Amino acid sequence: MSATPHGFWKLPAADGDAPRHLAVITGGEAGQTMLFLQDGDGWHVLALFEDELAGRTTARTLDRLLQARTYLRMGGADVLDGADTDRPGVEWAGYDREPEEEDVVAQRDVDPEARLWVLPSTDGATVGLKLPGHPRHRDAIAQFVDVAAARAAVAAVDALVGAARP
């Protein structure tokens, strides 16, 4: 079976470092949709999506986040930070405009165009990916293969949106 890419993003890399990429691809004998990271050591599966639609939706959401005029990153430095709170993990929200003073004075919420949330289970044993606010996907749509893979995904998205340097 051939592979079908749904999203492919080049990550910033220091001079002389091997190219790095993040990708959402459906393929293999089972036709599984996965989040991949490519680095100098090759391709690594970071997460498995519940189905192809969830992978495509995540790719479109990440594209919209990267096209946003401004974004907000919420959460700690590590994906397990806040695992026992109401807002664990790391979330990014992209906005088509920056909130203005009148929005703050009138207490108007500026709704994000795109949101990605990497969140751990309460015991930190598993980590999932959610698209908060998406009408079709209310629960986690992907599960990371392990905590290290979730950390790699957070670092990749941070690099893409400019929250971290390579």
Side-chain angles (χ1 to χ4, degrees), residues 16-19 22 26 30 40 43 55 60 62 68 70 84 98 106 124 143 163-164:
D17 285 354
L22 190 66
T26 298
W43 289 92
R60 284 193 299 265
L62 184 53
T70 188
D84 57 350
E98 294 190 33
Q143 183 170 337

Side-chain angles (χ1 to χ4, degrees), residues 21-90:
H21 298 91
L22 190 66
V24 175
I25 300 171
T26 298
E29 291 181 22
Q32 178 70 51
T33 303
M34 297 167 272
L35 177 67
F36 288 93
L37 176 68
Q38 183 235 358
D39 59 18
D41 295 328
W43 289 92
H44 312 280
V45 176
L46 299 181
L48 305 172
F49 289 94
E50 64 183 25
D51 58 25
E52 185 174 344
L53 178 60
R56 283 196 320 260
T57 304
T58 300
R60 284 193 299 265
T61 300
L62 184 53
D63 281 339
R64 285 196 333 256
L65 179 66
L66 296 176
Q67 294 168 8
R69 174 175 286 172
T70 188
Y71 77 94
L72 176 64
R73 183 195 191 275
M74 297 161 278
D78 187 71
V79 72
L80 295 181
D81 288 348
D84 57 350
T85 68
D86 289 341
R87 297 300 292 185
V90 178

Side-chain angles (χ1 to χ4, degrees), residues 136-162:
R136 180 176 290 200
H137 302 290
R138 298 195 192 289
D139 295 321
I141 58 169
Q143 183 170 337
F144 289 92
V145 296
D146 56 24
V147 174
R151 288 179 175 133
V154 167
V157 174
D158 278 348
L160 286 170
V161 298

Side-chain angles (χ1 to χ4, degrees), residues 1-17:
M1 176 176 210
S2 64
T4 304
H6 303 293
F8 190 80
W9 305 272
K10 184 175 183 176
L11 298 168
D15 290 340
D17 285 354

